[in-house]
Amino acid sequence: MKYLVATHGDGKTGLTQQCVSTTMHCMDDQLTFRIPPELARLLNRRARDRGVPRALVVREALAGYLAEAPPADPPASARSWDQVERFVGAVKLDPAKLEADALARRVRDHNWRA
């Protein structure tokens, strides 16, 4: 936001606001996210030191990160299926009782994927 000294038609001067907006038509996607205060402070400092917008610093950092080799698959002990596989079939459900329970039907109908 810029403030300019302007002379009005009646000869009086005063401060007026001027908003400058730039739209990057070559960039279709926009991402909004929150960062911790310490990371924001470091980002602000880096952008200020280089004299560039924070968004440019973020784009460059993201491009550098994504250009690296992808991380290796997590070890088997960290995979979700391996963590729950031993519980599959451990609980016996009575379909008739589930059908009679209105809440159970609502949960099933809401979560069921065809």
Side-chain angles (χ1 to χ4, degrees), residues 71-105:
D73 285 339
S77 61
R79 293 190 185 124
S80 299
W81 177 253
D82 293 337
Q83 302 257 335
V84 299
E85 183 177 20
R86 63 181 176 204
F87 299 112
V88 173
V91 177
K92 302 296 181 205
L93 301 175
D94 181 356
K97 287 184 179 177
L98 287 175
E99 197 57 39
D101 185 335
L103 179 58
R105 279 195 319 272

Side-chain angles (χ1 to χ4, degrees), residues 13-66:
T13 60
L15 290 178
T16 61
Q17 290 182 348
Q18 178 186 24
C19 181
V20 178
S21 176
T22 304
T23 302
M24 306 283 292
H25 294 289
C26 61
M27 296 184 197
D28 294 333
D29 290 337
Q30 179 177 342
L31 179 66
T32 302
F33 57 93
R34 298 188 185 283
I35 57 175
E38 178 63 15
L39 191 54
R41 188 181 65 74
L42 293 170
L43 174 61
N44 289 334
R45 178 180 291 164
R46 177 71 55 94
R48 185 180 60 244
D49 290 349
R50 290 183 52 202
V52 298
R54 295 182 308 168
L56 177 62
V57 175
V58 171
R59 282 194 298 272
E60 290 173 349
L62 183 59
Y65 173 78
L66 294 176

